[in-house]
Amino acid sequence: RKEVEQDPGPFNVPEGATVAFNCTYSNSASQSFFWYRQDCRKEPKLLMSVYSSGNEDGRFTAQLNRASQYISLLIRDSKLSDSATYLCVVNNVDSSYKLIFGSGTRLLVRP
Amino acid sequence: NAGVTQTPKFRVLKTGQSMTLLCAQDMNHEYMYWYRQDPGMGLRLIHYSVGEGTTAKGEVPDGYNVSRLKKQNFLLGLESAAPSQTSVYFCASRKRQGHKDEQFFGPGTRLTVL
């Protein structure tokens, strides 16, 4: 079983739609959580960190559920430019030097 | 700031050839990483370094060696390339400061081994 699991998608949504991605992690010692975005044939870039109380950055909202060990990312009012792969990333307290990356969820926003 | 740079951007090797991938960062970060990314597999950690002169094995270290002689550079070597090493290779450096924690990636090196 992978340590960080994501639905690979693709999620195909129209512009303006709201879309949500979930990610589950298996290590209860996980302490830090992030969403990275990767455009086609480009490097990953940090989208947002995920805080215990949940956090919002414009149209993006991240939530953490420690009891169920999952993280979510909600994108409201989708734009064409949101089309990308979204990577769920976890840092464990017992191996804090390394970040564990999920395989990513692909999002396609159509006109 | 150039951030994280990688050299070369593309390379084609024949089986058995050797090469070195160079990663450089100008942000004075202690931590540096080498990943490979294959379709459907996500990013897999090859080797990493927590400071100048130190390296450690990641998830998939076999067939690769690394060196971190200077803080700003992290080199990845393939001594005898195999077709299974065809992949996109990303280098990253990491900033950890208080609650902030972010990895900065280079643009990648696309390697094909024939």
Side-chain angles (χ1 to χ4, degrees):
Chain A
R1 183 187 172 191
K2 291 182 181 178
E3 196 162 346
V4 178
E5 301 226 41
Q6 296 183 250
D7 182 340
F11 285 62
N12 192 323
V13 303
E15 262 188 299
T18 295
V19 61
F21 309 135
N22 286 334
C23 162
T24 58
Y25 59 95
S26 60
N27 190 337
S28 59
S30 298
Q31 60 177 359
S32 305
F33 309 89
F34 312 89
W35 284 101
Y36 276 68
R37 170 192 168 128
Q38 186 173 21
D39 292 310
C40 188
R41 301 178 73 83
K42 297 285 190 180
E43 70 274 20
K45 293 183 180 178
L46 179 66
L47 177 66
M48 59 196 302
S49 301
V50 185
Y51 301 122
S52 296
S53 55
N55 48 300
E56 191 174 298
D57 183 1
R59 297 181 294 108
F60 299 84
T61 300
Q63 296 279 354
L64 168 63
N65 185 320
R66 284 190 186 272
S68 301
Q69 295 185 197
Y70 80 79
I71 309 146
S72 64
L73 177 68
L74 182 78
I75 305 175
R76 289 182 301 278
D77 189 22
S78 298
K79 311 291 185 191
L80 295 177
S81 58
D82 293 334
S83 295
T85 296
Y86 292 84
L87 306 174
C88 174
V89 184
V90 169
N91 183 220
N92 299 329
V93 67
D94 51 1
S95 58
S96 63
Y97 297 128
K98 300 181 286 185
L99 295 181
I100 312 297
F101 285 79
S103 299
T105 297
R106 190 167 169 220
L107 172 65
L108 301 172
V109 182
R110 63 181 187 271
Chain B
N1 285 352
V4 180
T5 58
Q6 292 183 231
T7 309
K9 287 187 169 52
F10 303 92
R11 186 73 186 269
V12 178
L13 289 179
K14 294 181 180 178
T15 296
Q17 286 185 316
S18 63
M19 77 165 294
T20 300
L21 284 68
L22 172 64
C23 175
Q25 53 100 0
D26 61 1
M27 297 173 281
N28 202 36
H29 293 163
E30 293 291 340
Y31 300 168
M32 295 188 74
Y33 305 82
W34 274 107
Y35 297 90
R36 60 177 289 173
Q37 188 173 40
D38 303 292
M41 300 288 288
L43 285 163
R44 291 186 291 170
L45 183 63
I46 304 171
H47 285 280
Y48 64 100
S49 168
V50 299
E52 181 180 308
T54 72
T55 63
K57 293 180 180 180
E59 185 186 354
V60 287
D62 293 343
Y64 305 94
N65 56 73
V66 288
S67 63
R68 183 105 181 262
L69 299 178
K70 292 183 179 180
K71 188 177 185 178
Q72 62 267 34
N73 296 336
F74 195 27
L75 277 61
L76 178 71
L78 285 73
E79 289 187 348
S80 179
S84 60
Q85 293 178 305
T86 293
S87 188
V88 180
Y89 292 85
F90 286 104
C91 174
S93 68
R94 183 176 177 190
K95 177 179 180 179
R96 299 180 80 182
Q97 194 171 30
H99 291 294
K100 290 193 174 182
D101 188 347
E102 182 174 357
Q103 279 200 353
F104 297 84
F105 285 83
T109 296
R110 295 183 181 279
L111 175 67
T112 301
V113 183
L114 302 175

